[in-house]
Amino acid sequence: MTASFTLAILPDTQKYSQSYPQIFTSQTRWIAEHKEDLNIAFVLHEGDVTNGNVEYHWENAKASMSVLDGVLPYAIVLGNHDMGPGGDCTVRKSHLFNRYFPVSKYEQLSTFGGTFEPNLLDNSFHLFHAGETEWLVLALEYLPRDQVLEWANEIIATHVGRRVIFLTHSHVCSDNSLHGDRSVHKWNPTDHQISNETGGVNNGIDVWNKLLKKHSGTFLSFNGHFTENGGSGLVSKEGDAGNQVIQMLANYQLMDNGGNGYLRIVECAPSKGIISVSTYSPFLDEYLTDSRNQFTLTGLDLADL
């Protein structure tokens, strides 16, 4: 029987990095402690690592994430609060992120695939094996540029046979649709000055059309950013090859203490075709048990391609 495995998802940690670093560390410590019993294969941070892109926020984030160093592989993406002066997202400047999370720290890991730009972790890919399946993680910048999506298409094409996990900060909205698919959506990408840079910006529906739907291996997607409806959302769409792509939002920053330490536990059981999602806080030792935060997806094909 194919072994089950778990993905651990860290939603927006921006307020922890600013004011509650002990909560952030409680999350990563819990993940490290449960590596074996949950068979955790990979950790995914959904961006907005910091609240203001300042040094002491990044120092706190580095200290919390370093609990996982040498224990579990992880991928981190930039959120809008992680770029520009004070996190104002006016430019795609990520020098603090790359100082505290340098490519050199990860490039020797067997799971590290590479980056879009040399020595910048802003866009990266990762490779791992779990559940007798080969996986590819694409970790892309906030509202990725056209050239980044072209690179991502090439990475997937180069790794045919791997199932793809997509990680970015903004993608699924809390109304269970892709960002940009409905006119009522807030935070229009063109409101950011980064939209004026070469390659522009691509929202959720753009990324779906230009990248995710094109590949038969695309399977999972994770993001944060949006806060309405308790900061959760779920979209399942069929790709061009008939593959179901499960896309999830989780972001709890509007709760007390900047999120009360809730993280996502995504347990994958390939032999049963099941993914079980739960939302747990090591800080409170409590679960969110409503249907938006605890659910099971069935009839899925998690087998090797």
Side-chain angles (χ1 to χ4, degrees):
M1 182 177 291
T2 303
S4 298
F5 67 94
T6 299
L7 302 171
I9 315 299
L10 289 169
D12 307 41
T13 57
Q14 59 201 79
K15 294 182 181 178
Y16 307 147
S17 295
Q18 180 179 25
S19 304
Y20 309 101
Q22 73 278 11
I23 298 180
F24 195 167
T25 300
S26 76
Q27 293 179 311
T28 52
R29 184 179 295 124
W30 183 89
I31 291 170
E33 290 172 349
H34 290 272
K35 172 188 175 181
E36 300 299 333
D37 59 293
L38 292 178
N39 195 22
I40 299 174
F42 210 93
V43 182
L44 305 164
H45 192 307
E46 297 177 333
D48 272 0
V49 184
T50 71
N51 203 33
N53 194 27
V54 294
E55 294 220 18
Y56 85 87
H57 294 192
W58 285 110
E59 289 170 357
N60 288 335
K62 177 183 177 181
S64 295
M65 291 301 296
S66 68
V67 172
L68 300 174
D69 290 346
V71 179
L72 279 163
Y74 57 86
I76 306 177
V77 291
L78 290 164
N80 51 300
H81 282 266
D82 299 323
M83 298 185 295
D88 63 6
C89 200
T90 53
V91 291
R92 292 192 186 274
K93 296 294 185 182
S94 58
H95 63 283
L96 287 178
F97 171 55
N98 282 284
R99 182 194 304 171
Y100 286 95
F101 295 92
V103 171
S104 59
K105 179 177 179 177
Y106 306 102
E107 59 187 359
Q108 301 304 317
L109 300 178
S110 61
T111 54
F112 189 73
T115 61
F116 169 62
E117 297 164 290
N119 300 316
L120 290 180
L121 198 65
D122 302 27
N123 297 281
S124 61
F125 73 96
H126 310 257
L127 308 167
F128 71 96
H129 177 89
E132 297 184 9
T133 299
E134 301 296 329
W135 296 88
L136 163 65
V137 176
L138 276 174
L140 301 191
E141 64 192 17
Y142 176 61
L143 303 175
R145 294 163 286 174
D146 285 338
Q147 57 266 42
V148 170
L149 296 182
E150 292 168 3
W151 170 79
N153 275 307
E154 293 173 359
I155 295 300
I156 296 176
T158 303
H159 294 85
V160 174
R162 287 183 177 266
R163 290 199 177 273
V164 179
I165 298 170
F166 175 61
L167 175 68
T168 196
H169 183 57
S170 171
H171 187 68
V172 171
C173 291
S174 49
D175 61 357
N176 299 323
S177 68
L178 298 184
H179 188 215
D181 204 23
R182 296 177 180 172
S183 59
V184 296
H185 286 162
K186 301 193 315 184
W187 295 315
N188 191 317
T190 57
D191 292 341
H192 295 297
Q193 290 186 37
I194 58 171
S195 64
N196 299 319
E197 297 186 12
T198 301
V201 289
N202 286 278
N203 59 19
I205 194 63
D206 295 330
V207 171
W208 171 258
N209 289 322
K210 295 180 181 181
L211 175 66
L212 299 183
K213 76 171 187 176
K214 294 182 175 182
H215 302 279
S216 61
T218 308
F219 183 60
L220 288 169
S221 169
F222 299 99
N223 70 275
H225 188 53
F226 300 100
T227 57
E228 295 85 352
N229 297 318
S232 60
L234 178 66
V235 173
S236 179
K237 292 176 73 70
E238 186 174 296
D240 290 345
N243 51 311
Q244 287 300 312
V245 185
I246 311 301
Q247 301 161 86
M248 303 182 198
L249 156 70
N251 176 18
Y252 305 105
Q253 65 176 280
L254 296 188
M255 290 184 173
D256 292 343
N257 304 307
N260 268 338
Y262 282 102
L263 54 83
R264 275 282 172 91
I265 305 165
V266 180
E267 298 183 71
C268 303
S271 62
K272 299 177 181 178
I274 291 175
I275 289 180
S276 299
V277 176
S278 56
T279 305
Y280 174 70
S281 166
F283 173 65
L284 300 177
D285 189 22
E286 292 180 0
Y287 287 88
L288 295 176
T289 57
D290 61 282
S291 61
R292 295 180 69 93
N293 288 293
Q294 181 174 292
F295 53 90
T296 299
L297 305 171
T298 61
L300 304 176
D301 182 5
L302 288 81
D304 204 4
L305 293 175

